[in-house]
Structure formats: structure tokens, C-alpha cells
Amino acid sequence: MAWSPSSWKTKPVAQAVEYSDEASLEKVRIRLKTLPPIVTPGEIERLRSHLAQVQSGQAFLLHAGDCAESFNACTQENISNKIGLILSFSLILIWGARVPVVRIGRIAGQFAKPRSSKTERLPDGREVLSFRGDNVNGLDPDERTPNPDRMLSAYFHSATTLNYIRGLLTSGFASLNHPRDWSLSHVRSPALKEEFERITEGLADALEFSRTIGASESIPFEMGGPKGVIGEVDFYTSHEGLMLDYEEALTRCLALPPALQPLPTSTTPIITGTPMRSRDGVSLPSSRSSSRRPGLGDATSSPRGGIREELTGHYNTSAHFLWIGDRTRQIEGAHVEYFRGIRNPIGVKVGPSMDPEELVRLIEILNPDREPGRLTLITRYGANKIEQHLPKHIAAVQGSGMPVIWVCDPMHGNTLTSTTGLKTRNFNTIVSEVASCLRIHVECGSVLNGVSLEFTGELSEDGFSVTECLGGSMQLSEEELELRYQSFCDPRLNFEQSLDLAFLLSNHYKKQRRGYAKGERPNYIEAAFDGRQKTAQ
């Protein structure tokens, strides 16, 4: 069947939202189609290139942020704290692993959530529709009727969030000259502060040495100095592509960036530039046929700069990266149909219910041309199930020869209910799944390319981190969960717990890099965490 941004409508839609007013829904669709893109093809293609580096082991992927964003949390303080935590986590990783970190935030669009049941029963006995996220309905039980106007609100909150992030990252916030601003004012643990201080002090010495020998910028950006690797970082946005009406409306057929266009077919002079190359560095002919994957459109004539065949692609301009959830990955379903045609890099959640043969078929549908950086597999089994399922999935993918990025999500398979009735997760269990994932990949001749985490830099009104997950070096107990439990969806690691995990991963990769861990099982990070707990005590 030919693909189009709307061909998903011919397929069964999992997690569909039922709107009572079709006319209002159509009005919102039309309005969304006229609004400007939130992200650009150039940014999306840059992420594809960075993910190709992740796939080849030249970089590490950090995918992190909220379980679900809320409109009310779209504030300067919250956004700054979230970005600060992601920057801190990535700096700790880079310091230990000595590889670039590709940062993709679950931010600027992560407003919808799938639900296992359409309805829920309230303590007062009423049965109401389940809360599906701010872009569908309201958390208030009296606001549970799906409202299509909320998709417009999601668009504007996403655009506002990304606009502020771009402003932060291009005006010195991400500068390596003052990383203390990202974390230390929020962290209460003396041990964590000391560890982070050691990194920042070492970094400051290195930067001072570079400035002394004239190898780095000496004039700050704010004072007219140039932008550079010390003061700026790449940052990408993502969300689960759950609401297909919204995703379709923001899918645009746009020209690929100039660097990816074929050379002109005539001898008309053009601006000299880098010859067009494939992802693996092989030079391409001046005229390139369209991809078998429908995300790349047929070449069309364009008079600009002489006669040339201009390639176009269908870009989802709501985010740089989107993923298919475990509840919507049906091979004959609407979400797979939609995702197979967009040019964005995409992810797929892989859980215990995924058969190895189904996984291979899914990969073949979503990446038929075997493009590097196109497809990320985000595994989420649970610490007690990963041994049973991950080796089979790795073997199936290796047997198919299909290129993928392997990412561990140690959060979603490890949710439990505390004795006080709150959804929570145990930090030790999260560490256990990461450790098992690292070990199993090594044993299977594979590589873990990244992690996908739900964490937050949000602070309570009194300036303390949230209390939603158990354990960590702060040894958060069940009785303390209610102190600052702020999530309306799934529990998130707080600032301290996130840095705990960052240091564990960083130290693992440092030992691996230095060769100290030869012959040592990768799950030593669990023992390392036990040591950190004793130190904290």
C-alpha cells in the first residue's frame, strides 16, 4: 500500500482517543497544519548523523526526561532544572567514558500517555475516563472529556519550551566554564557534591590550560565571543508518537537540507561545497533515486542554482525523535504504518511480550533500507525478566543483519505500588536492570548504546528534590515518598538519584576504558553502588 501521512487511517488504531465533536477535531487539524514547524529538517538530519555515530559505538545516547509533561510545569525554573540535570548527567558520563553523549530529552511534546484501561474508578465510587495527558483531557475528574483544543495547547507549550531551551543553550547556560550552576545548588548530598566538584575542578584546570596556550576561546559568548564546543551543546527533543491526528498535522513534505541534495544535472556553476556522500562515506552519483522507504520523496526539478533534482522527505516537525510505545507497536496497526514513512529517526519500545520473529519483521518494515541511525530499540523488560528475553532479541537482530541502536530503559518494567498506595520504583532494581543489560550485551557480542531514563530536576517549593523513587544514596524510604511526591504519572528519579546512576555508569566506562575491568563481569556496578551507600552512611 502506498504511504502518505494519512494512510494510518486505514489501519486499526491502538489507544485511540474518541472525540465527541468531529467538527471541532477537524478545525484543530486544519489549524495545526498551518502552524510553523517546531523543528527543522536540518536539525533532524543532524540527529540522524549523531545517532549513526551512536550505532557505531563512537557516541553514547542519553534519552531522558519526564514520564509525561504537564502544561502547568512549563515554567522557566522547571525547564532550566531539567536541562541542567541532563547536562550534568551527560558531563559525568563524558568524563568517565571519554565519548560524546547525544542528548535527547523527553521534553517539548511529551504530553500524552497510553493507558491500560479507558476508565478508572475514583475513591468516591464514580467511574470516569482515564487521564490521558494534558493534550487529551484534564487531570481533574470533571475535565476528563477529550478536548481537541488541547492539541493546540500542546503545540504552543512545546514551541515555547523548545524556544526557551534554544535560548538557554545558545547564551552560555551549557558552557563548560560553569557546570556548577547545573547541579550543585540543588544537590543536598555532600558525597555527590564532592564527586561532582572533583569533575568540575578537573575540567576547570583543563580549560585554564587550554586558554593559557591559546587553544580555546578567551572571550565569553555574552561579551561578544564566538560560539564553540565549550559554550554550546546539541540538544534534541522527543515524545511518544501516540496522537496520530497531531503527528499527521505536523508532518510536512520538505526539501532535504542542501548538503544531502544531489549535484545539479547541468554544468551551471553552483557554490562549491562538500561532495554529497552516503552515511558510510561513499560518494553518491549526482542523481540519486528515491529511497524504498516512503519517507524520502521522488526527486523533483528545481531551478535554483541551475537544473537539479531536489529530494524531499516527509518530516514530522513536532520533534526531532519519536518512538512507538509497547502498547502501539502492532505490525498491522496504525502507528507502525505512520512511522514507516517519516524521515525522522525513530524508536520502538521492546518488552517481554515481543516475539523475536515479530521484532525482526518490525525492523524490516521501519528500516527497509538499513539506514544507520534510523532505528533505536528501547528495551524495557524489568530486572527479573531481562535474562529471559534480551538474549533472544539480540540473537534475532544479529541473525537478520539489520542495523539498530540498543538502548536500555530500566524504568518501565520496574514499577511497583508502595504499601502507602503510591506508584514507585526502587533504585536498586533500576541499577540491576542496567547492570544485567550491560553484561548480556557483552556476552552476546553486542553493545549497549545508551540509556532511556525518567528523571526530573524539578524541586519542591522548599527547594528539595522530589521523592518518588525508593533508595539511592539518600536511601529514600516508603514513609518518605509522600513528602514531595509530585508526579501525576509515573515515578521519576530525582536529582540525587539521577547523579548516583550517572556516576555508576561513568565509573563503569572509566574502568572499561582503562582496561581495569578485563575479565570482570559488568554487573560489578551493583557492588559499586553498595559501596557508595556505605560511604554515604
Side-chain angles (χ1 to χ4, degrees), residues 431-482:
V431 170
S432 176
E433 180 155 0
V434 174
S436 296
C437 201
L438 282 164
R439 172 177 52 78
I440 291 169
H441 274 286
V442 170
E443 291 173 351
C444 294
S446 179
V447 176
L448 178 64
N449 304 117
V451 291
S452 179
L453 305 171
E454 287 185 349
F455 63 41
T456 183
E458 288 182 21
L459 304 175
S460 62
E461 293 181 359
D462 53 1
F464 287 86
S465 296
V466 301
T467 54
E468 297 170 2
C469 289
L470 301 168
S473 60
M474 64 192 304
Q475 297 182 293
L476 193 69
S477 66
E478 286 198 3
E479 293 73 21
E480 294 170 309
L481 289 177
E482 295 180 343

Short mmCIF file of all heavy atoms in Angstrom, two decimals, residues 431-482:
data_model
loop_
_atom_site.label_atom_id
_atom_site.label_comp_id
_atom_site.label_asym_id
_atom_site.label_seq_id
_atom_site.Cartn_x
_atom_site.Cartn_y
_atom_site.Cartn_z
N VAL A 431 19.17 -0.09 38.86
CA VAL A 431 20.60 -0.38 38.67
C VAL A 431 20.79 -1.83 38.22
O VAL A 431 21.60 -2.12 37.33
CB VAL A 431 21.38 -0.10 39.96
CG1 VAL A 431 22.82 -0.62 39.85
CG2 VAL A 431 21.40 1.39 40.27
N SER A 432 20.02 -2.73 38.80
CA SER A 432 20.14 -4.15 38.45
C SER A 432 19.84 -4.39 36.97
O SER A 432 20.56 -5.15 36.30
CB SER A 432 19.21 -4.98 39.32
OG SER A 432 19.25 -6.34 38.94
N GLU A 433 18.79 -3.75 36.45
CA GLU A 433 18.47 -3.97 35.03
C GLU A 433 19.54 -3.37 34.12
O GLU A 433 19.90 -3.97 33.10
CB GLU A 433 17.10 -3.39 34.67
CG GLU A 433 16.75 -3.61 33.21
CD GLU A 433 15.27 -3.62 32.90
OE1 GLU A 433 14.45 -3.47 33.83
OE2 GLU A 433 14.92 -3.81 31.72
N VAL A 434 20.07 -2.20 34.48
CA VAL A 434 21.15 -1.62 33.68
C VAL A 434 22.37 -2.52 33.68
O VAL A 434 22.99 -2.79 32.65
CB VAL A 434 21.52 -0.21 34.20
CG1 VAL A 434 22.74 0.33 33.45
CG2 VAL A 434 20.35 0.76 34.03
N ALA A 435 22.73 -3.02 34.88
CA ALA A 435 23.90 -3.90 35.00
C ALA A 435 23.72 -5.18 34.19
O ALA A 435 24.64 -5.62 33.48
CB ALA A 435 24.14 -4.23 36.48
N SER A 436 22.54 -5.79 34.27
CA SER A 436 22.27 -7.00 33.51
C SER A 436 22.31 -6.73 32.02
O SER A 436 22.83 -7.54 31.24
CB SER A 436 20.90 -7.57 33.90
OG SER A 436 20.86 -7.98 35.24
N CYS A 437 21.80 -5.58 31.63
CA CYS A 437 21.79 -5.23 30.21
C CYS A 437 23.21 -5.09 29.68
O CYS A 437 23.55 -5.60 28.60
CB CYS A 437 21.01 -3.92 30.02
SG CYS A 437 20.41 -3.67 28.34
N LEU A 438 24.07 -4.40 30.42
CA LEU A 438 25.47 -4.26 30.02
C LEU A 438 26.13 -5.64 29.87
O LEU A 438 26.81 -5.92 28.87
CB LEU A 438 26.23 -3.46 31.08
CG LEU A 438 26.04 -1.94 31.08
CD1 LEU A 438 26.53 -1.34 32.40
CD2 LEU A 438 26.79 -1.31 29.91
N ARG A 439 25.92 -6.49 30.86
CA ARG A 439 26.56 -7.82 30.85
C ARG A 439 26.05 -8.68 29.70
O ARG A 439 26.83 -9.32 28.99
CB ARG A 439 26.32 -8.52 32.19
CG ARG A 439 26.77 -9.98 32.21
CD ARG A 439 26.58 -10.61 33.57
NE ARG A 439 25.23 -10.44 34.07
CZ ARG A 439 24.18 -11.16 33.67
NH1 ARG A 439 24.32 -12.10 32.74
NH2 ARG A 439 22.98 -10.95 34.20
N ILE A 440 24.74 -8.71 29.50
CA ILE A 440 24.15 -9.57 28.46
C ILE A 440 24.62 -9.13 27.07
O ILE A 440 24.94 -9.98 26.22
CB ILE A 440 22.62 -9.56 28.55
CG1 ILE A 440 22.17 -10.28 29.83
CG2 ILE A 440 21.98 -10.22 27.33
CD1 ILE A 440 20.70 -10.10 30.16
N HIS A 441 24.70 -7.85 26.84
CA HIS A 441 25.19 -7.38 25.54
C HIS A 441 26.62 -7.85 25.30
O HIS A 441 26.97 -8.30 24.20
CB HIS A 441 25.10 -5.85 25.44
CG HIS A 441 23.76 -5.36 24.98
ND1 HIS A 441 23.34 -5.45 23.67
CD2 HIS A 441 22.74 -4.78 25.66
CE1 HIS A 441 22.12 -4.95 23.56
NE2 HIS A 441 21.74 -4.53 24.75
N VAL A 442 27.46 -7.77 26.33
CA VAL A 442 28.84 -8.24 26.18
C VAL A 442 28.87 -9.74 25.90
O VAL A 442 29.58 -10.20 25.00
CB VAL A 442 29.65 -7.92 27.46
CG1 VAL A 442 31.01 -8.61 27.42
CG2 VAL A 442 29.84 -6.41 27.60
N GLU A 443 28.09 -10.49 26.65
CA GLU A 443 28.07 -11.95 26.47
C GLU A 443 27.55 -12.35 25.10
O GLU A 443 27.93 -13.40 24.57
CB GLU A 443 27.21 -12.57 27.57
CG GLU A 443 27.82 -12.47 28.96
CD GLU A 443 26.87 -12.95 30.06
OE1 GLU A 443 25.68 -13.19 29.76
OE2 GLU A 443 27.33 -13.07 31.21
N CYS A 444 26.70 -11.53 24.50
CA CYS A 444 26.10 -11.84 23.19
C CYS A 444 26.89 -11.22 22.05
O CYS A 444 26.44 -11.27 20.88
CB CYS A 444 24.66 -11.38 23.15
SG CYS A 444 23.54 -12.25 24.27
N GLY A 445 28.01 -10.59 22.34
CA GLY A 445 28.79 -9.96 21.29
C GLY A 445 28.14 -8.71 20.75
O GLY A 445 28.34 -8.34 19.59
N SER A 446 27.38 -8.04 21.58
CA SER A 446 26.67 -6.83 21.19
C SER A 446 27.16 -5.66 22.05
O SER A 446 28.05 -5.83 22.89
CB SER A 446 25.15 -7.05 21.35
OG SER A 446 24.43 -5.90 21.01
N VAL A 447 26.56 -4.49 21.83
CA VAL A 447 26.96 -3.29 22.59
C VAL A 447 25.70 -2.54 23.01
O VAL A 447 24.78 -2.34 22.21
CB VAL A 447 27.84 -2.36 21.74
CG1 VAL A 447 28.16 -1.08 22.51
CG2 VAL A 447 29.13 -3.06 21.32
N LEU A 448 25.67 -2.15 24.27
CA LEU A 448 24.61 -1.26 24.75
C LEU A 448 25.01 0.16 24.35
O LEU A 448 26.04 0.67 24.77
CB LEU A 448 24.45 -1.37 26.26
CG LEU A 448 23.39 -0.43 26.88
CD1 LEU A 448 22.00 -0.77 26.36
CD2 LEU A 448 23.43 -0.51 28.40
N ASN A 449 24.15 0.83 23.58
CA ASN A 449 24.49 2.13 23.02
C ASN A 449 23.95 3.32 23.82
O ASN A 449 24.28 4.48 23.50
CB ASN A 449 23.97 2.24 21.58
CG ASN A 449 24.48 1.15 20.68
OD1 ASN A 449 23.70 0.35 20.16
ND2 ASN A 449 25.79 1.10 20.47
N GLY A 450 23.08 3.06 24.81
CA GLY A 450 22.54 4.20 25.56
C GLY A 450 21.54 3.77 26.60
O GLY A 450 21.24 2.58 26.77
N VAL A 451 21.02 4.76 27.31
CA VAL A 451 20.01 4.53 28.33
C VAL A 451 18.85 5.50 28.13
O VAL A 451 19.02 6.61 27.63
CB VAL A 451 20.57 4.69 29.77
CG1 VAL A 451 21.54 3.57 30.10
CG2 VAL A 451 21.23 6.05 29.95
N SER A 452 17.66 5.05 28.52
CA SER A 452 16.44 5.88 28.46
C SER A 452 15.88 5.94 29.87
O SER A 452 15.47 4.92 30.42
CB SER A 452 15.42 5.27 27.49
OG SER A 452 14.24 6.05 27.45
N LEU A 453 15.86 7.13 30.44
CA LEU A 453 15.52 7.29 31.86
C LEU A 453 14.39 8.28 32.05
O LEU A 453 14.23 9.22 31.28
CB LEU A 453 16.75 7.77 32.64
CG LEU A 453 18.02 6.94 32.51
CD1 LEU A 453 19.19 7.67 33.15
CD2 LEU A 453 17.82 5.57 33.16
N GLU A 454 13.63 8.05 33.11
CA GLU A 454 12.65 9.03 33.54
C GLU A 454 13.19 9.68 34.81
O GLU A 454 13.23 9.06 35.87
CB GLU A 454 11.29 8.37 33.80
CG GLU A 454 10.60 7.97 32.50
CD GLU A 454 9.20 7.42 32.69
OE1 GLU A 454 8.79 7.15 33.83
OE2 GLU A 454 8.52 7.24 31.66
N PHE A 455 13.67 10.91 34.65
CA PHE A 455 14.15 11.64 35.81
C PHE A 455 13.75 13.11 35.70
O PHE A 455 13.32 13.56 34.64
CB PHE A 455 15.65 11.46 36.05
CG PHE A 455 16.59 11.96 34.98
CD1 PHE A 455 16.40 13.17 34.31
CD2 PHE A 455 17.74 11.24 34.67
CE1 PHE A 455 17.30 13.64 33.37
CE2 PHE A 455 18.66 11.70 33.73
CZ PHE A 455 18.43 12.90 33.08
N THR A 456 13.88 13.82 36.78
CA THR A 456 13.45 15.22 36.79
C THR A 456 14.36 16.05 37.66
O THR A 456 14.87 15.59 38.69
CB THR A 456 12.00 15.36 37.28
OG1 THR A 456 11.60 16.73 37.19
CG2 THR A 456 11.86 14.88 38.73
N GLY A 457 14.56 17.28 37.23
CA GLY A 457 15.28 18.25 38.04
C GLY A 457 14.34 19.15 38.80
O GLY A 457 14.79 20.12 39.44
N GLU A 458 13.03 18.84 38.75
CA GLU A 458 12.06 19.68 39.46
C GLU A 458 12.33 19.67 40.96
O GLU A 458 12.75 18.67 41.53
CB GLU A 458 10.64 19.17 39.20
CG GLU A 458 10.11 19.43 37.80
CD GLU A 458 8.69 18.96 37.62
OE1 GLU A 458 7.98 18.80 38.63
OE2 GLU A 458 8.29 18.73 36.46
N LEU A 459 12.05 20.81 41.57
CA LEU A 459 12.22 20.95 43.01
C LEU A 459 10.89 21.33 43.63
O LEU A 459 10.03 21.94 42.99
CB LEU A 459 13.26 22.04 43.32
CG LEU A 459 14.65 21.87 42.71
CD1 LEU A 459 15.50 23.10 43.02
CD2 LEU A 459 15.33 20.61 43.22
N SER A 460 10.74 20.99 44.89
CA SER A 460 9.54 21.39 45.62
C SER A 460 9.64 22.86 45.99
O SER A 460 10.67 23.51 45.79
CB SER A 460 9.38 20.53 46.88
OG SER A 460 10.48 20.74 47.75
N GLU A 461 8.57 23.39 46.54
CA GLU A 461 8.56 24.81 46.90
C GLU A 461 9.63 25.16 47.93
O GLU A 461 10.13 26.29 47.96
CB GLU A 461 7.18 25.20 47.44
CG GLU A 461 6.07 25.15 46.37
CD GLU A 461 4.73 25.57 46.92
OE1 GLU A 461 4.66 25.87 48.14
OE2 GLU A 461 3.75 25.60 46.15
N ASP A 462 10.02 24.19 48.76
CA ASP A 462 11.05 24.46 49.76
C ASP A 462 12.46 24.16 49.24
O ASP A 462 13.43 24.17 50.01
CB ASP A 462 10.78 23.67 51.04
CG ASP A 462 10.61 22.18 50.79
OD1 ASP A 462 10.71 21.76 49.62
OD2 ASP A 462 10.37 21.44 51.76
N GLY A 463 12.58 23.90 47.92
CA GLY A 463 13.89 23.74 47.32
C GLY A 463 14.50 22.37 47.39
O GLY A 463 15.69 22.20 47.12
N PHE A 464 13.70 21.34 47.72
CA PHE A 464 14.21 19.98 47.81
C PHE A 464 13.78 19.16 46.58
O PHE A 464 12.78 19.48 45.92
CB PHE A 464 13.70 19.29 49.07
CG PHE A 464 14.35 19.76 50.34
CD1 PHE A 464 13.87 20.88 51.01
CD2 PHE A 464 15.46 19.11 50.85
CE1 PHE A 464 14.47 21.32 52.17
CE2 PHE A 464 16.07 19.54 52.01
CZ PHE A 464 15.58 20.65 52.68
N SER A 465 14.53 18.10 46.30
CA SER A 465 14.20 17.21 45.19
C SER A 465 12.90 16.46 45.48
O SER A 465 12.52 16.28 46.63
CB SER A 465 15.33 16.21 44.95
OG SER A 465 16.52 16.86 44.55
N VAL A 466 12.26 15.99 44.42
CA VAL A 466 11.04 15.21 44.58
C VAL A 466 11.37 13.88 45.24
O VAL A 466 12.52 13.42 45.23
CB VAL A 466 10.33 14.99 43.22
CG1 VAL A 466 9.99 16.31 42.57
CG2 VAL A 466 11.19 14.12 42.29
N THR A 467 10.37 13.24 45.80
CA THR A 467 10.54 11.93 46.47
C THR A 467 9.56 10.95 45.85
O THR A 467 8.44 10.78 46.33
CB THR A 467 10.29 12.05 47.98
OG1 THR A 467 8.99 12.65 48.19
CG2 THR A 467 11.34 12.92 48.64
N GLU A 468 9.97 10.29 44.77
CA GLU A 468 9.07 9.41 44.03
C GLU A 468 9.62 7.99 43.88
O GLU A 468 8.84 7.05 43.74
CB GLU A 468 8.76 10.02 42.66
CG GLU A 468 8.03 11.36 42.76
CD GLU A 468 7.92 12.10 41.45
OE1 GLU A 468 8.38 11.58 40.42
OE2 GLU A 468 7.37 13.22 41.45
N CYS A 469 10.95 7.85 43.87
CA CYS A 469 11.57 6.52 43.75
C CYS A 469 12.31 6.19 45.05
O CYS A 469 12.90 7.07 45.69
CB CYS A 469 12.55 6.49 42.58
SG CYS A 469 11.75 6.51 40.95
N LEU A 470 12.30 4.93 45.41
CA LEU A 470 12.94 4.46 46.64
C LEU A 470 14.45 4.31 46.47
O LEU A 470 14.93 4.06 45.38
CB LEU A 470 12.35 3.11 47.05
CG LEU A 470 10.84 3.05 47.31
CD1 LEU A 470 10.37 1.61 47.42
CD2 LEU A 470 10.49 3.83 48.58
N GLY A 471 15.18 4.48 47.57
CA GLY A 471 16.59 4.15 47.58
C GLY A 471 17.48 5.25 47.06
O GLY A 471 17.19 6.44 47.16
N GLY A 472 18.62 4.83 46.49
CA GLY A 472 19.66 5.76 46.11
C GLY A 472 20.56 6.04 47.29
O GLY A 472 20.34 5.53 48.41
N SER A 473 21.58 6.86 47.08
CA SER A 473 22.50 7.14 48.19
C SER A 473 21.80 7.87 49.32
O SER A 473 22.24 7.82 50.47
CB SER A 473 23.69 7.97 47.69
OG SER A 473 23.24 9.20 47.14
N MET A 474 20.67 8.53 49.03
CA MET A 474 19.90 9.20 50.07
C MET A 474 18.99 8.22 50.82
O MET A 474 18.34 8.59 51.79
CB MET A 474 19.07 10.33 49.48
CG MET A 474 18.01 9.89 48.50
SD MET A 474 17.30 11.28 47.57
CE MET A 474 16.72 12.34 48.89
N GLN A 475 18.91 6.96 50.31
CA GLN A 475 18.17 5.88 50.97
C GLN A 475 16.72 6.29 51.28
O GLN A 475 16.23 6.14 52.41
CB GLN A 475 18.88 5.45 52.26
CG GLN A 475 20.26 4.86 52.00
CD GLN A 475 20.93 4.38 53.26
OE1 GLN A 475 21.28 5.17 54.13
NE2 GLN A 475 21.11 3.07 53.37
N LEU A 476 16.05 6.77 50.27
CA LEU A 476 14.66 7.20 50.42
C LEU A 476 13.76 6.00 50.76
O LEU A 476 13.78 4.98 50.08
CB LEU A 476 14.18 7.85 49.12
CG LEU A 476 12.87 8.62 49.18
CD1 LEU A 476 13.04 9.89 50.01
CD2 LEU A 476 12.40 8.96 47.79
N SER A 477 12.97 6.12 51.83
CA SER A 477 12.12 5.02 52.29
C SER A 477 10.67 5.24 51.86
O SER A 477 10.29 6.33 51.41
CB SER A 477 12.18 4.92 53.81
OG SER A 477 11.60 6.09 54.41
N GLU A 478 9.86 4.21 52.02
CA GLU A 478 8.45 4.31 51.64
C GLU A 478 7.75 5.40 52.45
O GLU A 478 6.88 6.10 51.93
CB GLU A 478 7.73 2.96 51.85
CG GLU A 478 8.08 1.91 50.83
CD GLU A 478 7.06 0.78 50.79
OE1 GLU A 478 6.07 0.86 51.54
OE2 GLU A 478 7.26 -0.17 50.01
N GLU A 479 8.11 5.54 53.70
CA GLU A 479 7.47 6.55 54.54
C GLU A 479 7.77 7.97 54.07
O GLU A 479 7.01 8.90 54.36
CB GLU A 479 7.94 6.40 56.00
CG GLU A 479 7.49 5.12 56.69
CD GLU A 479 8.24 3.88 56.20
OE1 GLU A 479 9.36 4.05 55.64
OE2 GLU A 479 7.71 2.76 56.34
N GLU A 480 8.86 8.13 53.30
CA GLU A 480 9.25 9.46 52.85
C GLU A 480 8.71 9.81 51.46
O GLU A 480 8.86 10.95 51.01
CB GLU A 480 10.78 9.57 52.83
CG GLU A 480 11.40 9.47 54.22
CD GLU A 480 12.92 9.33 54.15
OE1 GLU A 480 13.40 8.44 53.41
OE2 GLU A 480 13.61 10.10 54.85
N LEU A 481 8.08 8.86 50.78
CA LEU A 481 7.58 9.13 49.43
C LEU A 481 6.58 10.28 49.41
O LEU A 481 6.58 11.10 48.48
CB LEU A 481 6.92 7.87 48.85
CG LEU A 481 7.83 6.71 48.46
CD1 LEU A 481 7.00 5.52 47.97
CD2 LEU A 481 8.83 7.13 47.38
N GLU A 482 5.75 10.36 50.41
CA GLU A 482 4.69 11.37 50.42
C GLU A 482 5.21 12.78 50.70
O GLU A 482 4.47 13.76 50.52
CB GLU A 482 3.63 11.01 51.46
CG GLU A 482 2.86 9.73 51.14
CD GLU A 482 1.80 9.40 52.20
OE1 GLU A 482 1.91 9.98 53.30
OE2 GLU A 482 0.90 8.61 51.91
#
